[in-house]
Amino acid sequence: MFKNLPATCMVAALLCMFSAAPALAQTESDTSYVKPTLPKGPPPGQQPMPRQPMQQTEERPTLMDRLYTGGSFGLQFGTVTNISVSPILGYMATEKFWFGTGFIYQYQRVRTYDLRTGHRGAVTLQSYGTKFFAQQELLNLENINLGGRILAHGEYEVLRMQYAETNPNSGQVYRNNRIEATPMVGLGYRQSMGGRATADLYVLYNLSNSLYTPYRNPIIRFGLNIPFRR
């Protein structure tokens, strides 16, 4: 249909078509779809909810946290010199109650008297065995700024012991062996040594009426307690 139009009209028509194309493209971009965004933050006039602090669960002590080792050392002088060493393995059942077991080794030197000759001498004896003990805190002096704790202490030990015996006919002193059980009770004082380690001082009373018991009242002992995990 453009054959009957003059050349100048055709040129003008083409220029109009090319100038209208950017306008159409701009119109399409202006009318493109925009995804709506959700409002951020609380509505006007409403305060944000405070964050709740995370609750920390208290860890229960493990077996290694409750176990401790250490031992006691005993010393007694007189007619019978008694030196005892006792390593222990203890268990802290609660913050105020402990129990455990231990091994005992004792060295004794007993003065002797020969009735026939009137000679005075001494005989050495060695004993070993096991013991079981329990302790209960009675008073915590740390609460009144005096330091330390007062304990009730009880133990039961069984020894395969040597003892000195005198032959009534000859007056000769010789060694003999027997199994001796000894219950003991008393009080203790426990002092912290830094960390969880503690030092103990005990004053015990021997409840046995046996003539062969190796202890004379009162019994003084020193002990250490060292936890497996500090």
Side-chain angles (χ1 to χ4, degrees):
M1 66 177 178
F2 295 104
K3 293 181 177 181
N4 298 326
L5 293 177
T8 57
C9 292
M10 292 179 64
V11 172
L14 292 173
L15 291 175
C16 291
M17 291 175 63
F18 282 110
S19 62
L24 291 173
Q26 181 68 31
T27 304
E28 290 180 359
S29 63
D30 291 343
T31 59
S32 61
Y33 175 75
V34 178
K35 184 179 179 180
T37 59
L38 296 175
K40 298 181 179 180
Q46 181 177 352
Q47 297 295 329
M49 295 294 292
R51 291 184 177 182
Q52 297 293 331
M54 297 182 62
Q55 295 183 354
Q56 297 182 354
T57 58
E58 184 179 355
E59 296 184 0
R60 299 185 62 181
T62 64
L63 176 64
M64 296 301 294
D65 294 328
R66 295 182 180 274
L67 288 176
Y68 63 93
T69 185
S72 61
F73 176 78
L75 188 62
Q76 187 175 20
F77 295 101
T79 304
V80 177
T81 299
N82 191 334
I83 301 174
S84 64
V85 178
S86 178
I88 64 167
L89 175 64
Y91 180 78
M92 183 179 64
T94 68
E95 291 293 329
K96 296 184 178 183
F97 181 72
W98 308 265
F99 65 89
T101 185
F103 175 80
I104 305 168
Y105 172 78
Q106 291 184 349
Y107 169 85
Q108 289 181 307
R109 185 175 183 272
V110 182
R111 297 177 184 178
T112 61
Y113 178 74
D114 195 323
L115 298 176
R116 295 181 305 168
T117 62
H119 177 72
R120 296 181 183 276
V123 61
T124 59
L125 307 170
Q126 298 186 70
S127 305
Y128 59 89
T130 187
K131 70 175 182 180
F132 304 92
F133 68 90
Q135 299 170 331
Q136 173 68 45
E137 179 183 309
L138 299 179
L139 180 62
N140 190 344
L141 300 179
E142 296 175 354
N143 296 332
I144 53 177
N145 299 323
L146 292 179
R149 301 180 180 186
I150 303 298
L151 312 175
H153 178 95
E155 67 179 70
Y156 186 84
E157 71 175 36
V158 180
L159 287 178
R160 184 185 185 279
M161 60 175 293
Q162 289 183 333
Y163 65 96
E165 193 166 29
T166 304
N167 188 317
N169 298 322
S170 64
Q172 184 181 2
V173 178
Y174 58 94
R175 297 182 183 90
N176 209 339
N177 297 281
R178 66 177 282 114
I179 303 298
E180 186 71 17
T182 306
M184 289 174 281
V185 296
L187 296 176
Y189 175 77
R190 175 164 292 171
Q191 179 65 51
S192 175
M193 297 177 58
R196 296 175 59 194
T198 57
D200 296 345
L201 171 63
Y202 304 108
V203 179
L204 305 178
Y205 184 82
N206 181 4
L207 299 178
S208 174
N209 295 321
S210 172
L211 297 175
Y212 300 96
T213 180
Y215 304 110
R216 298 294 181 267
N217 291 317
I219 305 165
I220 308 298
R221 286 185 179 173
F222 302 92
L224 293 175
N225 304 298
I226 304 173
F228 275 31
R229 183 174 295 171
R230 300 187 180 184

